[in-house]
Amino acid sequence: MSTNEQIPVLETERLILRGHRRSDFSECAAMWADPIVVAHISGTPSTREQAWSRFLRYAGHWHHLGFGYWVVETRHDGQFVGEVGFSDYCRDVSPTFDGVPEAGWVLKTSAHGQGIATEAVRRMLAWADASLDGPSTVSLFDPENHASIAVAKKVGFGDQIMGRCAGLPTLIMQRANPRRSAG
């Protein structure tokens, strides 16, 4: 079975979340090269090589961990609008959250401000709640990334702590898996 066959396809009213295809790379690379997109992620646009490494990590997550990132595309025309999912990057972060899936999302600039992130993240979290065994997920933010922090709050990330990631101040938010915390 190929890695893509292991990745569930998730749907919302406006979106389809699916595994990455080789043909998605150009859109992925262009998104990660956009200075507006990366302003609160790395602050530095990705090179094609860096985008390729990220692209390959997505498949590795699904293969080795049973979770990873999806392409987000619009239902009405199949347009690539971003990526959402879960990762375990073994980050140098304090406090640590080893073994807890890290939720993340990134959208093309043209998709900002339309509620797409909230819709996609809600759907991926519903999948995680039903499919992942852990009691929670976390998400990391540049404290100035107000748009993504607002999305996190809308979808249930509440517990907040200021930490450090790669030596920088980082807001870490946690969300309990309702299936695990209800028991």
Side-chain angles (χ1 to χ4, degrees):
M1 179 184 321
S2 75
T3 300
N4 235 13
E5 292 170 350
Q6 300 171 40
I7 303 170
V9 175
L10 309 179
E11 297 186 23
T12 72
E13 183 178 329
R14 297 184 296 165
L15 307 170
I16 296 173
L17 283 61
R18 61 161 176 81
H20 286 76
R21 300 177 189 134
R22 175 67 178 90
S23 59
D24 296 317
F25 178 66
S26 292
E27 291 275 0
C28 175
M31 179 181 67
W32 284 101
D34 183 339
I36 295 170
V37 169
V38 300
H40 293 293
I41 299 173
S42 66
T44 304
S46 294
T47 65
R48 232 174 125 67
E49 180 180 355
Q50 290 165 331
W52 182 246
S53 291
R54 179 179 289 109
F55 193 81
L56 294 176
R57 282 193 307 201
Y58 295 149
H61 271 85
W62 284 107
H63 178 78
H64 291 290
L65 301 174
F67 58 79
Y69 269 69
W70 289 270
V71 162
V72 179
E73 65 181 22
T74 55
R75 286 177 69 93
H76 72 280
D77 64 3
Q79 179 184 0
F80 176 102
V81 293
E83 299 168 333
V84 299
F86 300 96
S87 61
D88 182 352
Y89 292 130
C90 296
R91 293 185 190 273
D92 178 17
V93 63
S94 176
T96 63
F97 53 87
D98 291 342
V100 177
E102 179 185 335
W105 50 92
V106 60
L107 297 178
K108 290 172 43 171
T109 304
S110 62
H112 292 181
Q114 300 173 39
I116 291 172
T118 301
E119 187 174 333
V121 173
R122 265 199 185 108
R123 182 62 187 98
M124 76 174 202
L125 288 169
W127 173 85
D129 291 345
S131 303
L132 300 181
D133 291 330
S136 66
T137 55
V138 297
S139 199
L140 279 64
F141 303 97
D142 172 339
E144 299 301 315
N145 190 347
H146 303 294
S148 283
I149 293 168
V151 169
K153 289 177 180 178
K154 285 180 196 175
V155 300
F157 283 90
D159 297 335
Q160 300 180 38
I161 187 167
M162 280 303 294
R164 295 192 77 72
C165 182
L168 299 173
T170 301
L171 177 64
I172 302 168
M173 298 177 76
Q174 188 168 19
R175 179 187 174 276
N177 179 334
R179 184 172 55 103
R180 294 290 178 201
S181 58

